[in-house]
Amino acid sequence: MKEITVALMGNPNVGKTSFFNALTGAHQYVANWPGVTVEKKTGVLKWKDYIVNVVDLPGIYTLNARSIDEQVARDYLLNGKPDMIFNIVDGTNLRRNLYLTIQIIETGIKTILVLNQMDEVKSLDIKIDTHELSKRLGIQVVETIATKGINVDDLMRVAFIQNEKTKYMIYPDELEKKFSSFEDLIRKNQNLSVFPSRWLSISLRERDPYAISIVQKAGISPVELSDQGIHLEIAKARYNFIDSIVKQIEVRPKEIWTLTDALDHVFTHKILGIPIFISVMWMIFEFTFAVSTPLSDLLSKGFDVLGGYAHSIPGWFGLFVGDGLISGVGSVLTFVPLIFFLFFSMGILEDSGYMSRAAFLIDRIMHRFKLSGRAFIPLLLGFGCNASAIMTTRTLEGEKERLVSVLINPFATCSARLPIYVVLSAAFFGAYGGFAIFSIYLISIFIALSMAVVFNFILKNKESSPFVIEMPRYKLPTAKGIGIYTWSRGKHFLKKAGGIILGATAVVWLLSNLPPNSSIGNSFAAQIGKSIAPILAPLGFDWHVTLSLIFGGVAKEVTVTTLGTFANGSLESFLPKILNPITAYALMLFALLYIPCAATQATMKMETGSYKWPIFSVIWSLSLAYATAFVFEKIAYMVI
């Protein structure tokens, strides 16, 4: 079978992810691009005698790279050498999307224009002459509705049709002459033969730093770059060409009031927007807990039954499997429905288009803390996983703003800490458990923004970068898209349960049962916990809690498995013996704020390029957690 590589490119929010999901289905792999922490999504499609490797590049607006996302996309096109590019374009907004299309065509790589969201085009009564569009651009054009599936046979057949020759000139003769002078020079230089000569010559005229570095490494001095303002002439020529195309191939009705306009009038209202956002988040929590609780209870009973079977195994091994592995890991796995329903809800917000509105709403608030609305997106993603959320700070332009965003992200309470809150709330707060957990999330946001002020002062960061975000139209989320979103994020929780959590549980159980024939109060675990417990004694935490927090520093879920090992699986009856409602809430605050997990610390080091900031984060967060829990307890005991 023949193997080819297809790269997906397009602006943000054009439906590229839906197209990728429809094209590759479950055959997807997520990693990081070599040398950077931007997420890399690849998938495999089998079509006739071909194995098609599909690479989903980050959504960008231009190949004149400034952000790391744009650098990744540009570098892959030039160095990865894909066989063809599927350029995903929003059919309702050709004027904005075609600028990137022109730049892609200039790389010389075979390009197919995928005109997506054609259902929206029809609903808005927009007429597009795709044949004329194909003729003017000199590439094949395919209409799709990615959210409703893709006819792969039609798409691939069109992809293998020979491109038409472009007959329409984009640039005036004066510019073409300047480009050709560089193209001749590039073709003669053997070191530059691997780069598209037309792209390189145009990029040099645009004074693109990457293009300049390429020719300088090849021993050429781009002296002719002294032309002032030519990059503006190039941009103007492209926009004039786009305007001429759109006038010829697109017919729009008179201005109409769409459903998106009507919803935005309410959801992004300067007064109503924030209360609506808080209400939406509250509904998500209520839905998540209401739906997941019966499933969690069912899983808990299932693990109790498994533990009973394990206890029938004679000797030490039966106790290890029953009380150690099954009780410990089971105490975390019972929260799998909760985690998956939380990601399911977040997926609905993202797929429907509301998440962009949330970032827009928070932008005004974020500016008061010297952050842009763009910094809110990593913070919001931190409620899923701090490590992956920190990776998304690469989209921030200001170096100091990015560093501040990295440092405050661990204060966004990730899903790994959710089992701790649920266990403590169930044991101590009963019907008010949901409110207790929601209050922790509100405190999380308040602490993160407060720390942004402090870190901005420390780093002397006085300004935030301007915030520009696409507002996609509202749409109904698809079952397939939500399913892929939920699974791709929730599966990391299961992987940790099968690796880190399982290993940590085994270690805790062994420490709790050694030396042989000793009580748990005299075990190695007790000795370790009791030696450190005096440090946390002012907070009312005994050695059980101290040891669970130590192990929880590796992965936050291990806090619950450690306590579950001591409790033999019955946490609700065990916890009231070592905590009271005040110390339980203080423990929730401590778990929220104390050291980032090992994966987050590693990501912080990778993003900042230094061990200094992860170490700073550990010391700062641990001190803040201790002070916050201590002050809360003192006030609580005075009031209650």
Side-chain angles (χ1 to χ4, degrees):
M1 295 190 61
K2 301 175 184 177
E3 191 168 343
I4 63 171
T5 299
V6 173
L8 304 187
M9 291 197 71
N11 292 173
N13 295 316
V14 295
K16 189 163 58 66
T17 299
S18 298
F19 184 84
F20 177 71
N21 292 339
L23 201 60
T24 61
H27 306 288
Q28 300 177 10
Y29 308 90
V30 179
N32 291 327
W33 293 96
V36 296
T37 53
V38 174
E39 190 175 77
K40 173 185 181 181
K41 288 197 294 185
T42 60
V44 177
L45 165 69
K46 292 183 179 179
W47 181 73
K48 293 187 176 181
D49 295 331
Y50 291 90
I51 295 177
V52 184
N53 297 307
V54 184
V55 180
D56 186 15
L57 295 173
I60 62 173
Y61 293 104
T62 175
L63 291 182
N64 301 121
R66 293 181 181 177
S67 70
I68 190 65
D69 282 355
E70 292 168 346
Q71 291 174 25
V72 163
R74 177 204 62 198
D75 291 350
Y76 183 78
L77 288 194
L78 300 178
N79 304 316
K81 305 295 182 184
D83 296 290
M84 64 179 71
I85 299 168
F86 288 166
N87 175 210
I88 319 300
V89 167
D90 179 357
T92 67
N93 205 334
L94 286 175
R95 184 171 271 101
R96 184 196 70 219
N97 283 240
L98 289 180
Y99 192 91
L100 178 63
T101 302
I102 292 173
Q103 289 185 309
I104 293 172
I105 293 172
E106 288 168 354
T107 65
I109 302 170
K110 183 178 177 64
T111 303
I112 292 85
L113 187 73
V114 180
L115 207 57
N116 195 26
Q117 301 180 359
M118 291 305 292
D119 53 338
E120 291 286 340
V121 171
K122 292 178 182 177
S123 69
L124 295 173
D125 198 26
I126 300 172
K127 305 293 190 297
I128 298 177
D129 186 344
T130 54
H131 176 74
E132 184 66 19
L133 178 63
S134 174
K135 180 180 176 182
R136 287 177 175 268
L137 291 174
I139 59 176
Q140 300 299 324
V141 177
V142 180
E143 296 184 16
T144 63
I145 306 173
T147 56
K148 298 181 181 179
I150 293 172
N151 189 321
V152 175
D153 282 338
D154 288 349
L155 176 67
M156 296 306 296
R157 273 197 296 268
V158 171
F160 282 99
I161 295 175
Q162 187 65 35
N163 284 351
E164 299 177 23
K165 295 293 182 181
T166 304
K167 299 178 181 179
Y168 294 86
M169 297 295 293
I170 298 176
Y171 306 103
D173 291 339
E174 295 177 1
L175 287 179
E176 286 291 350
K177 289 177 182 178
K178 292 179 179 180
F179 298 155
S180 62
S181 65
F182 266 123
E183 281 192 76
D184 293 338
L185 191 63
I186 291 166
R187 292 192 189 100
K188 294 175 183 177
N189 191 301
Q190 195 171 7
N191 295 324
L192 298 177
S193 60
V194 295
F195 296 99
S197 59
R198 182 162 178 80
W199 168 84
L200 188 53
S201 64
I202 295 175
S203 297
L204 286 171
R205 287 296 183 182
E206 291 182 290
R207 295 184 291 192
D208 183 85
Y210 182 67
I212 293 172
S213 67
I214 289 173
V215 296
Q216 287 178 336
K217 288 177 183 178
I220 298 175
S221 176
V223 291
E224 294 181 63
L225 287 177
S226 58
D227 292 339
Q228 296 296 319
I230 193 171
H231 60 290
L232 297 177
E233 292 180 37
I234 293 172
K236 183 179 179 181
R238 287 171 178 162
Y239 281 119
N240 288 340
F241 180 67
I242 292 169
D243 285 340
S244 68
I245 288 179
V246 172
K247 287 178 182 178
Q248 292 296 320
I249 62 97
E250 182 184 86
V251 178
R252 284 178 174 264
K254 293 182 179 179
E255 195 72 25
I256 56 174
W257 185 258
T258 66
L259 177 61
T260 291
D261 295 329
L263 291 174
D264 274 346
H265 187 68
V266 177
F267 289 152
T268 62
H269 193 274
K270 62 180 180 180
I271 296 175
L272 299 176
I274 296 295
I276 289 173
F277 171 67
I278 294 173
S279 300
V280 168
M281 298 307 294
W282 169 256
M283 285 188 289
I284 283 179
F285 280 101
E286 285 295 309
F287 166 78
T288 299
F289 290 114
V291 176
S292 65
T293 297
L295 294 174
S296 294
D297 291 342
L298 190 63
L299 279 174
S300 181
K301 292 178 181 178
F303 282 114
D304 288 342
V305 172
L306 282 176
Y309 284 124
H311 286 146
S312 65
I313 302 173
W316 179 85
F317 183 72
L319 293 174
F320 172 68
V321 174
D323 295 337
L325 300 185
I326 293 177
S327 293
V329 176
S331 62
V332 169
L333 288 182
T334 54
F335 298 104
V336 166
L338 186 71
I339 302 298
F340 273 77
F341 275 112
L342 180 62
F343 284 127
F344 172 80
S345 302
M346 297 298 286
I348 290 176
L349 291 188
E350 188 167 314
D351 211 30
S352 66
Y354 182 73
M355 197 71 82
S356 298
R357 274 79 184 175
F360 170 76
L361 283 169
I362 302 299
D363 180 53
R364 285 178 295 172
I365 298 174
M366 297 290 279
H367 269 291
R368 297 178 183 177
F369 298 93
K370 298 297 185 290
L371 295 171
S372 71
R374 193 177 297 278
F376 174 70
I377 296 174
L379 195 61
L380 193 62
L381 294 175
F383 290 116
C385 174
N386 296 134
S388 59
I390 286 174
M391 296 177 187
T392 64
T393 60
R394 287 267 182 150
T395 59
L396 301 176
E397 294 182 8
E399 190 62 30
K400 288 183 179 179
E401 183 183 10
R402 191 172 72 84
L403 180 56
V404 170
S405 186
V406 168
L407 291 173
I408 68 172
N409 202 276
F411 297 121
T413 182
C414 65
S415 59
R417 283 173 267 195
L418 194 52
I420 304 173
Y421 308 147
V422 174
V423 164
L424 292 170
S425 296
F428 293 98
F429 305 118
Y432 297 99
F435 179 78
I437 296 172
F438 186 65
S439 69
I440 289 291
Y441 276 78
L442 292 179
I443 292 170
S444 169
I445 296 173
F446 174 76
I447 292 288
L449 295 179
S450 299
M451 289 303 102
V453 174
V454 175
F455 295 149
N456 274 312
F457 176 78
I458 293 173
L459 296 171
K460 298 179 180 178
N461 181 37
K462 298 181 180 180
E463 294 185 2
S464 59
S465 59
F467 179 49
V468 179
I469 190 170
E470 287 294 328
M471 290 291 193
R473 287 171 306 283
Y474 292 101
K475 61 182 180 181
L476 288 175
T478 62
K480 185 175 184 179
I482 296 299
I484 292 174
Y485 179 96
T486 304
W487 173 247
S488 64
R489 284 154 179 78
K491 68 182 179 182
H492 297 297
F493 186 81
L494 295 176
K495 286 181 179 179
K496 280 204 288 185
I500 296 173
I501 297 173
L502 182 64
T505 302
V507 170
V508 171
W509 189 90
L510 289 172
L511 289 174
S512 302
N513 287 271
L514 292 175
N517 302 319
S518 64
S519 66
I520 194 169
N522 296 315
S523 65
F524 290 152
Q527 294 174 35
I528 296 171
K530 289 175 181 178
S531 66
I532 304 172
I535 300 174
L536 298 182
L539 304 180
F541 301 162
D542 75 345
W543 70 267
H544 300 90
V545 175
T546 301
L547 191 67
S548 69
L549 290 171
I550 292 172
F551 279 100
V554 179
K556 292 298 186 289
E557 303 95 330
V558 179
T559 304
V560 174
T561 63
T562 303
L563 291 171
T565 303
F566 296 140
N568 290 326
S570 182
L571 279 168
E572 287 195 31
S573 60
F574 172 72
L575 289 174
K577 298 176 182 178
I578 61 174
L579 295 167
N580 61 49
I582 292 177
T583 53
Y585 196 83
L587 179 55
M588 292 169 70
L589 289 172
F590 195 91
L592 161 67
L593 300 173
Y594 93 117
I595 64 175
C597 69
T600 300
Q601 292 179 45
T603 305
M604 291 177 75
K605 189 272 172 185
M606 193 182 308
E607 287 296 324
T608 61
S610 170
Y611 285 103
K612 175 177 69 175
W613 295 113
I615 293 171
F616 170 81
S617 179
V618 167
I619 296 172
W620 185 280
S621 59
L622 191 57
S623 303
L624 181 64
Y626 196 103
T628 302
F630 183 81
V631 171
F632 166 77
E633 288 187 0
K634 292 300 180 184
I635 296 174
Y637 282 124
M638 289 172 60
V639 173
I640 297 176

